[in-house]
Amino acid sequence: MTAASRPATILEVAHLAGVSKTSVSRYYSGERERLSATMQERISAAAEQVGYHPNPLARSLKGGPSGLVGMLVADIRNPFSVAIMHGLEQACRQAGLSLMVCNSDNDPDQERQQLAMMSSWRIEGLVVNAAGCHSDALRQFVTSGTPVVLLDRSLADVQVDEVGLDNTAAIDMAIDHLVAQGYSRLLYITEPPAQASSRQARLARFESRCAGQGLDATILCTELHDQQALDQRLRALAPVVSHARPAILCANGQVTLAVAHRMRALDLRSGEIGLIGIDELDWCGLTEPGITTLAQPTDAIGQAAIDCLRTRQHDRSADRQYRAFAPQLIQRGSTQPPASH
Amino acid sequence: MTAASRPATILEVAHLAGVSKTSVSRYYSGERERLSATMQERISAAAEQVGYHPNPLARSLKGGPSGLVGMLVADIRNPFSVAIMHGLEQACRQAGLSLMVCNSDNDPDQERQQLAMMSSWRIEGLVVNAAGCHSDALRQFVTSGTPVVLLDRSLADVQVDEVGLDNTAAIDMAIDHLVAQGYSRLLYITEPPAQASSRQARLARFESRCAGQGLDATILCTELHDQQALDQRLRALAPVVSHARPAILCANGQVTLAVAHRMRALDLRSGEIGLIGIDELDWCGLTEPGITTLAQPTDAIGQAAIDCLRTRQHDRSADRQYRAFAPQLIQRGSTQPPASH
DNA sequence: TTGTACGCGTTATCAA
DNA sequence: TTGATAACGCGTACAA
């Protein structure tokens, strides 16, 4: 491969190999079988010599596959989003795809713009992990033949594939664990569900499950920057009576972080007050006595999202997929009540 | 804006506006002044009506600016990288650019491939935050006219712009703080510097500064998964004698995390043993008694990187830039020695 | 000031 | 099995 200031084109390869550019194109478009053995060799050799790689720009301008996958995230700094992104990126790489990441910083206007931008880049597939998502914009993608996968979200008015946590299993697992550990007064803390379906699903399951088991359960639904709301409920939880230990279930990693902060500020000891959170975080083993979590298999989720895209690409009318992954319990001290009496 | 199954082209706008496509092209290529007022209005109206957006594919195929910026990261899960990515993304958005993120997972082969891929997408600029970076590949970008910015790294054999932390200032700030707080036996913990110039710079400054001040300083240079090495040195540090308090300086966030884990496992109390780390992390206020850090202005760094790219784009032979940002001390309990006597 | 014609690198449609 | 030719959407000489 000779280093060229300008990348080699299909034409140069064709000339060097003494064949037409059509043949070279065929060689790279998965129609090698239709070429004679000699031709295949000559093309391969010529391409090697000039260091040829098909130009994805020209390819997708012509309407071919772009090899680009778009990801729309509401908050790129959310560790969960990062973990998923890692999974996606890995899967893309394996599939020879490139990933275009767009962060909307929770701004619907940005989202619109980002979607338009990705559309103009003719992405082959779109993975969405954003809340206030414009159904109409998404539908545009779908109708124009671009597969869309919703991550950890679902939208009532747009029918696309969905991948995420098995929220029911997660909530059940959390409650079962808390109960088994001797906690019976449960407080569920979540950000306002609003558009985020997974928040809704988790909340709903928590309510019905607790009702079913006759547990003493309450719910705090608040923005995380609202310290007052948080502090008030945490304090109310504090009087620990041995026959009805209280515990907190955090709906996601951001909540866990906020709660851990406030508990420390209020000098509440986890363990005494049970604490379990959905989403595993780097530091959960660090705080005394460690925070029990339900880890999501983020790499698998990312992989599944890409799988969905590719499946639908090959069969545009495939059945709508809904893949839910079970979490893994990582038990730490925060759900270990101190020996009583 | 009417929803169209196929995106509008420049030609449709031209027809609708009753002008030539050349004029429409000019309108979108920053030559509006050369068009008559009436024409500008007609074009604007027509474009609005059909929802026209210039096709970046066609634009860059022709050799024009692609509006794409590439980012190569060695470890997408590193919180520092994420923070920088956020800054980059923000800056890109403001500048109307799109960001293509490539993660190499610390694999040089992947890096090569990713670089080739970005090159084939005709990125307008490249931001690199990766260690074992192939200088030759980078030089290819530079010679082909694509600006390259090195993030938190520098390469001896390739002359490109660099943006990152002011390592000297950071180390000085950390040492000054530790000394002011009454610590005098310093242990610097870092991952092997190898290719990473910022690690080298920090380490070198630590050595020279401590030598200059006659401080009792030692260095541990280890892979973070090597628990033994870590534990051994931490234990050796433990005997706290009041006239020579020990303190640890962590070279970056990953080190801080590892050290915090091991200190907890060994039941070493920070504060008694001083602890300060470069890079601010979500959870540093959570562990008892909180970890003092030097926060990098990551958004500013991201912004600066994009600025560099754009500057060089307009003046390819501009002076090589080297922008170093000072960190901010965030003081917490880990550098607050307990009252003695 | 505005329009015509060509080329960017590729693929699809033909005809050989 | 191969090759010539026309798009894809845009920028830009050049001519008007």
Side-chain angles (χ1 to χ4, degrees):
Chain A
M1 161 173 165
T2 301
S5 61
R6 244 171 31 103
T9 76
I10 204 173
L11 211 58
E12 305 176 43
V13 176
H15 283 155
L16 189 67
V19 303
S20 81
K21 61 177 184 165
T22 308
S23 303
V24 181
S25 172
R26 283 207 248 269
Y27 183 84
Y28 281 99
S29 301
E31 304 190 47
R32 299 195 187 176
E33 316 86 24
R34 294 180 46 185
L35 300 178
S36 66
T38 26
M39 183 156 278
Q40 291 196 31
E41 277 191 35
R42 292 171 68 177
I43 293 177
S44 162
E48 184 81 11
Q49 203 175 119
V50 298
Y52 170 74
H53 289 286
N55 183 335
L57 257 51
R59 217 204 273 261
S60 43
L61 175 60
K62 192 60 176 71
S66 65
L68 246 191
V69 169
M71 179 187 192
L72 182 64
V73 202
D75 177 10
I76 209 180
R77 288 185 286 195
N78 182 327
F80 172 72
S81 300
V82 173
I84 294 287
M85 189 162 70
H86 180 259
L88 278 178
E89 212 274 347
Q90 249 180 339
C92 281
R93 224 184 309 156
Q94 276 179 22
L97 299 166
S98 304
L99 187 65
M100 178 178 260
V101 177
C102 291
N103 174 42
S104 70
D105 265 341
N106 278 306
D107 179 348
D109 286 346
Q110 301 286 7
E111 251 174 48
R112 268 214 111 75
Q113 229 172 332
Q114 308 268 30
L115 285 172
M117 189 155 253
M118 294 200 265
S119 153
S120 76
W121 277 100
R122 303 294 185 275
I123 53 171
E124 264 182 71
L126 174 62
V127 180
V128 175
N129 177 52
C133 221
H134 316 273
S135 314
D136 50 336
L138 290 188
R139 223 184 326 258
Q140 291 254 344
F141 279 94
V142 177
T143 58
S144 80
T146 308
V148 173
V149 175
L150 256 37
L151 253 180
D152 197 44
R153 300 268 188 285
S154 65
L155 255 36
D157 53 348
V158 47
Q159 301 262 324
V160 295
D161 297 333
E162 296 172 15
V163 176
L165 183 68
D166 183 338
N167 292 302
T168 300
I171 294 294
D172 287 358
M173 200 179 285
I175 294 179
D176 288 346
H177 176 66
L178 288 176
V179 169
Q181 296 294 102
Y183 300 97
S184 55
R185 275 167 54 215
L186 271 39
L187 170 61
Y188 185 78
I189 304 186
T190 179
E191 298 172 90
Q195 308 261 11
S197 72
S198 68
R199 289 185 196 161
Q200 287 170 0
R202 292 174 195 179
L203 179 55
R205 180 64 184 179
F206 178 83
E207 285 181 310
S208 70
R209 185 69 196 284
C210 288
Q213 291 206 307
L215 286 166
D216 176 2
T218 49
I219 286 163
L220 172 58
C221 183
T222 178
E223 296 291 351
L224 296 180
H225 52 74
D226 186 353
Q227 268 192 26
Q228 284 214 331
L230 224 47
D231 287 1
Q232 183 190 333
R233 292 299 278 276
L234 291 178
R235 278 207 201 87
L237 203 66
V240 177
V241 278
S242 64
H243 62 277
R245 288 193 181 280
I248 301 166
L249 170 45
C250 300
N252 65 38
Q254 306 286 68
V255 175
T256 306
L257 179 64
V259 168
H261 264 122
R262 296 321 300 160
M263 282 185 72
R264 183 182 175 218
L266 299 179
D267 203 28
L268 299 176
R269 269 178 251 295
S270 64
E272 214 161 276
I273 296 179
L275 179 60
I276 184 172
I278 294 179
D279 288 344
E280 164 73 355
L281 300 159
D282 279 346
W283 49 267
C284 280
L286 272 182
T287 62
E288 194 53 41
I291 299 177
T292 299
T293 62
L294 293 175
Q296 299 198 43
T298 49
D299 280 348
I301 292 177
Q303 177 72 57
I306 299 299
D307 289 347
C308 272
L309 292 182
R310 312 204 83 198
T311 303
R312 187 155 301 277
Q313 226 170 6
H314 290 96
D315 177 12
R316 219 172 123 175
S317 61
D319 281 343
R320 183 181 177 199
Q321 293 200 43
Y322 188 93
R323 303 194 50 185
F325 288 79
Q328 186 197 346
L329 177 72
I330 301 183
Q331 189 169 349
R332 299 198 177 90
S334 69
T335 51
Q336 186 67 52
S340 50
H341 306 295
Chain B
M1 161 172 165
T2 301
S5 61
R6 244 172 29 103
T9 77
I10 203 173
L11 214 57
E12 303 177 44
V13 176
H15 283 154
L16 189 67
V19 303
S20 80
K21 66 172 190 162
T22 309
S23 303
V24 181
S25 172
R26 283 208 245 272
Y27 183 83
Y28 282 100
S29 301
E31 304 190 44
R32 299 196 184 174
E33 316 85 23
R34 294 180 46 185
L35 300 179
S36 67
T38 28
M39 181 155 279
Q40 291 195 33
E41 278 191 35
R42 293 172 67 180
I43 293 177
S44 161
E48 185 80 11
Q49 205 177 115
V50 298
Y52 171 73
H53 289 285
N55 183 334
L57 256 51
R59 223 207 273 260
S60 44
L61 176 59
K62 191 61 173 78
S66 65
L68 245 192
V69 169
M71 178 186 192
L72 183 63
V73 202
D75 177 8
I76 209 179
R77 287 185 286 195
N78 182 327
F80 173 72
S81 300
V82 173
I84 294 287
M85 190 161 68
H86 179 260
L88 278 179
E89 212 272 347
Q90 247 180 340
C92 281
R93 224 185 310 156
Q94 276 179 22
L97 300 166
S98 304
L99 187 64
M100 178 179 262
V101 177
C102 291
N103 175 42
S104 70
D105 265 342
N106 279 306
D107 178 347
D109 286 346
Q110 301 286 9
E111 250 174 50
R112 269 214 109 78
Q113 231 172 330
Q114 308 268 31
L115 285 172
M117 188 156 253
M118 294 200 267
S119 154
S120 76
W121 277 101
R122 303 294 184 273
I123 53 171
E124 264 182 71
L126 175 62
V127 180
V128 176
N129 177 56
C133 221
H134 316 273
S135 313
D136 50 337
L138 290 188
R139 223 185 326 259
Q140 290 255 344
F141 279 94
V142 176
T143 58
S144 80
T146 307
V148 174
V149 174
L150 256 37
L151 254 180
D152 197 44
R153 300 269 187 285
S154 64
L155 254 36
D157 51 350
V158 47
Q159 302 261 325
V160 294
D161 296 335
E162 296 173 15
V163 175
L165 183 68
D166 183 338
N167 292 301
T168 301
I171 293 295
D172 287 357
M173 200 179 283
I175 294 179
D176 288 346
H177 176 65
L178 288 176
V179 169
Q181 295 296 100
Y183 300 96
S184 55
R185 274 167 54 214
L186 272 39
L187 170 59
Y188 185 77
I189 305 185
T190 178
E191 297 171 271
Q195 308 259 12
S197 72
S198 68
R199 289 186 196 161
Q200 287 170 0
R202 292 174 195 178
L203 179 56
R205 181 63 183 182
F206 178 83
E207 285 182 309
S208 71
R209 184 70 196 284
C210 288
Q213 291 206 309
L215 286 166
D216 175 2
T218 48
I219 286 163
L220 171 57
C221 182
T222 178
E223 296 291 353
L224 296 180
H225 52 74
D226 186 353
Q227 269 192 25
Q228 284 214 332
L230 224 47
D231 287 0
Q232 183 191 333
R233 292 299 277 275
L234 291 178
R235 278 207 200 87
L237 205 65
V240 178
V241 279
S242 63
H243 62 275
R245 287 192 182 282
I248 301 166
L249 170 46
C250 300
N252 65 39
Q254 306 286 69
V255 175
T256 306
L257 179 63
V259 168
H261 264 122
R262 295 322 299 161
M263 282 184 72
R264 184 184 173 218
L266 299 178
D267 202 29
L268 299 176
R269 270 178 250 294
S270 65
E272 214 161 274
I273 296 179
L275 179 60
I276 184 172
I278 294 179
D279 288 343
E280 164 72 354
L281 299 159
D282 279 346
W283 49 268
C284 281
L286 272 183
T287 61
E288 193 55 40
I291 299 177
T292 299
T293 61
L294 293 174
Q296 298 198 42
T298 50
D299 280 348
I301 292 177
Q303 177 72 56
I306 299 297
D307 288 347
C308 272
L309 292 183
R310 312 204 83 197
T311 303
R312 186 154 303 277
Q313 227 171 5
H314 290 95
D315 177 11
R316 220 173 121 174
S317 61
D319 281 344
R320 183 181 177 199
Q321 292 199 44
Y322 189 94
R323 302 195 51 186
F325 289 79
Q328 186 197 347
L329 177 71
I330 300 183
Q331 189 168 349
R332 300 199 177 89
S334 69
T335 51
Q336 186 67 52
S340 49
H341 308 294

